[in-house]
Amino acid sequence: QVQLVESGGGLVQAGGSLRLSCAASGRIGSINNMGWYRQLPGKQRDLVAAITSAGSTNYADSVKGRFTISRDNAKNTVYLQMSSLKAEDTAIYYCNAQGTIGWQRFGSWGQGTQVTVSS
């Protein structure tokens, strides 16, 4: 099973920046898609940004122009650079990876990292 470990969360003032990292380890075959999701208590987990192995990206409208997702395939790591942070960005951020090991598909989630934006 692929394991994902997030890091980089913490406290930041509105307008500030923060970078999240997610490293994949374990029995890794081919990781195709990696992404970041966020969730507030009582609400569903929503996509923030995603990136394919080829580098194609998708962003939630609320973060376009402020967040940048990137990945280092050699390190099996995905990053989320967050800038111009707003209070509404406060959430638990989860890393996700999807891919295949042989013919078997897998999908893995990290444990989440808290991001808190204050004014």
Side-chain angles (χ1 to χ4, degrees), residues 78-99:
V78 63
Y79 306 92
L80 185 67
Q81 179 66 50
M82 304 182 291
S83 62
S84 301
L85 284 163
K86 306 174 181 179
E88 52 262 43
D89 294 319
T90 296
I92 300 176
Y93 285 70
Y94 295 90
C95 178
N96 176 261
Q98 299 177 12

Side-chain angles (χ1 to χ4, degrees), residues 66-81:
R66 299 189 299 117
F67 291 9
T68 301
I69 188 170
S70 62
R71 64 189 290 172
D72 186 333
N73 291 333
K75 296 180 179 179
N76 292 316
T77 300
V78 63
Y79 306 92
L80 185 67
Q81 179 66 50

Side-chain angles (χ1 to χ4, degrees), residues 96-111:
N96 176 261
Q98 299 177 12
T100 58
I101 302 175
W103 290 101
Q104 185 176 4
R105 296 179 298 172
F106 72 84
S108 297
W109 290 96
Q111 295 183 4

Side-chain angles (χ1 to χ4, degrees), residues 27-38:
R27 197 165 72 92
I28 301 173
S30 178
I31 299 177
N32 295 322
N33 305 312
M34 302 188 78
W36 290 95
Y37 294 70
R38 64 188 181 188

